Amino acid sequence: MARKKYYSNGDDFHPMQPSSADIILRQQLEYSISKYFYEGCDRTIQNLLSNCRWYVTTRAGVLTLVIECPDQVTNWRILQKIVPMGTILNGIIDSAKIRVCPPEGEGLPFEMRVDELSVYRDWA
C-alpha cells in the first residue's frame, strides 16, 4: 500500500511573531475596550479603579481585565464590585476574564470569567 505524502505550503502556518501592525491593532483594541468599560462603570467603580493600576490585555487569545490593588481594603472593595464590573465587561465582549490582584505578597489573584456571572450573582 502506497503512503500518501502531504506537503504544506509555508503560507498555511500562522506567523510565529506578530507583526508591527498586529501589535498596534491589539493595543488599539485593548485601549478601546478599556475606554468602553470605564465609561460603562458608575462613579463608585470609577473611583475604586482610580486607586488601582488596571488595564485590559489580550495575551494568549483571552481578553482579561487586570486590576492590581494597592492595599487589602481596596482589594476587598473591588471584589465586592466584581459582579457589576463583569456585567459591564460582558456587555462589551462575552468571552473575557477579570483578574483582581491583591498587593504583592498578600495573597493570590482572584480570577473570574464573565460567562460565569450567574455563579456570583449572590455577591452583588
Side-chain angles (χ1 to χ4, degrees):
M1 177 185 219
R3 289 194 168 174
K4 291 184 181 180
K5 292 186 179 181
Y6 295 96
Y7 297 96
S8 65
N9 181 347
D11 293 337
D12 293 341
F13 296 103
H14 296 289
M16 295 302 286
Q17 294 292 327
S19 69
S20 296
D22 292 332
I23 293 168
I24 290 169
L25 287 172
R26 187 185 79 229
Q27 289 172 341
Q28 289 174 342
L29 174 68
E30 292 169 355
Y31 172 79
S32 295
I33 291 173
S34 296
K35 181 180 174 191
Y36 286 121
F37 169 75
Y38 187 79
E39 290 173 354
C41 294
D42 64 22
R43 181 64 62 195
T44 303
I45 294 174
Q46 289 178 350
N47 287 338
L48 278 172
L49 290 171
S50 71
N51 293 320
C52 302
R53 178 175 182 256
W54 68 277
Y55 54 93
V56 171
T57 181
T58 54
R59 304 272 190 289
V62 178
L63 188 127
T64 305
L65 169 64
V66 179
I67 304 170
E68 297 175 355
C69 301
D71 55 60
Q72 287 291 17
V73 172
T74 304
N75 187 72
W76 177 244
R77 289 181 179 155
I78 289 286
L79 288 172
Q80 289 177 316
K81 295 293 185 179
I82 199 163
V83 171
M85 288 189 292
T87 302
I88 294 163
L89 191 57
N90 193 33
I92 299 167
I93 185 166
D94 59 1
S95 60
K97 295 188 301 188
I98 299 175
R99 180 181 304 133
V100 180
C101 304
E104 193 170 325
E106 295 190 32
L108 298 174
F110 175 80
E111 197 166 280
M112 178 191 81
R113 294 189 338 237
V114 296
D115 61 355
E116 297 176 326
L117 280 173
S118 62
V119 174
Y120 300 98
R121 292 276 181 217
D122 292 338
W123 285 20

